[in-house]
Amino acid sequence: MKLTKEDKVQFVSEVSQLAKDSCSVILSDYRNIPVDKMTQLRKKTREEDVVLKVVRNTLLKIALKGTDFEKLGEDCLGPSIVAFSLSDPGAGARILKEFSKENETFAIKSFGVDGKVFRASDIDKLASLPNREEAITKVAILIQMPVTKFVRTLNDVPTKLVRVLSVLKEQKEVA
């Protein structure tokens, strides 16, 4: 499909804004993936607040200029699909990693987080990051733990006193 200059300018500005708003960007090769599988992938990404775009490499390189993900343009070879994770940096990585296990021809090329570009072999690190809810839960547990231990310690003092008094009472009754 031939794009007009206006279409290209609009596309570049849209992708550039997506890159600026994203926590992480993942660049993948989607050769030989059937349409129905791609439709399933798009559905999963929409559910997780991840935007998936099929891009022309030259337009992607232009769109990424001036963003934290500019270095990803170096990996733009062959057909590319880009996942922009808008709220959870690991969401796109989890989805695409799972999808690549199910589809042998789908390959993650590289990804970017906080202005740094990583190789596809490091995708496990990004995919293993907890989502927002999991992170909040872990922090809450960590905050609650010292308080719980302190309360248990305070509770142990009277408990031990009662035990000692009980033992003394039994000893006096026996004597």
Side-chain angles (χ1 to χ4, degrees):
M1 176 171 81
K2 185 145 173 101
L3 294 174
T4 65
K5 184 173 182 170
E6 293 81 26
D7 293 338
K8 291 178 184 178
V9 169
Q10 180 184 2
F11 182 81
V12 166
S13 66
E14 180 184 331
V15 171
S16 181
Q17 189 59 47
L18 274 172
K20 289 175 184 171
D21 295 341
S22 297
C23 305
S24 65
V25 176
I26 304 169
L27 185 65
S28 304
D29 185 340
Y30 68 100
R31 282 180 238 215
N32 301 322
I33 303 295
V35 174
D36 62 325
K37 299 265 187 179
M38 287 301 290
T39 304
Q40 292 171 0
L41 176 62
R42 288 179 188 278
K43 182 180 177 191
K44 284 182 187 175
T45 57
R46 276 192 299 269
E47 292 170 356
E48 296 291 327
D49 201 21
V50 176
V51 177
L52 207 59
K53 291 273 186 195
V54 174
V55 295
R56 290 186 178 175
N57 293 330
T58 53
L59 295 179
L60 181 62
K61 288 178 185 178
I62 294 168
L64 292 178
K65 282 188 180 171
T67 68
D68 290 344
F69 307 106
E70 186 171 352
K71 292 180 182 178
L72 279 177
E74 298 169 5
D75 294 325
C76 292
L77 301 168
S80 298
I81 191 165
V82 185
F84 298 94
S85 295
L86 300 176
S87 57
D88 176 13
R94 285 188 290 276
I95 294 168
L96 295 181
K97 180 182 167 193
E98 181 183 323
F99 188 77
S100 67
K101 287 180 182 177
E102 298 168 1
N103 301 283
E104 294 174 6
T105 58
F106 186 85
I108 296 170
K109 297 178 185 180
S110 59
F111 65 95
V113 180
D114 289 334
K116 295 179 184 135
V117 175
F118 300 91
R119 299 288 111 215
S121 58
D122 296 327
I123 198 72
D124 291 336
K125 293 175 186 173
L126 183 60
S128 66
L129 288 176
N131 64 23
R132 188 173 193 277
E133 291 78 22
E134 291 171 347
I136 289 171
T137 302
K138 287 180 181 182
V139 169
I141 289 170
L142 288 174
I143 290 171
Q144 183 183 8
M145 199 176 301
V147 174
T148 305
K149 286 184 178 183
F150 180 69
V151 169
R152 284 185 187 150
T153 302
L154 287 177
N155 192 32
D156 279 350
V157 173
T159 305
K160 287 181 181 180
L161 179 64
V162 169
R163 287 184 193 145
V164 168
L165 292 175
S166 175
V167 168
L168 285 173
K169 179 184 172 191
E170 288 175 10
Q171 286 176 355
K172 283 187 178 187
E173 287 176 355
V174 170

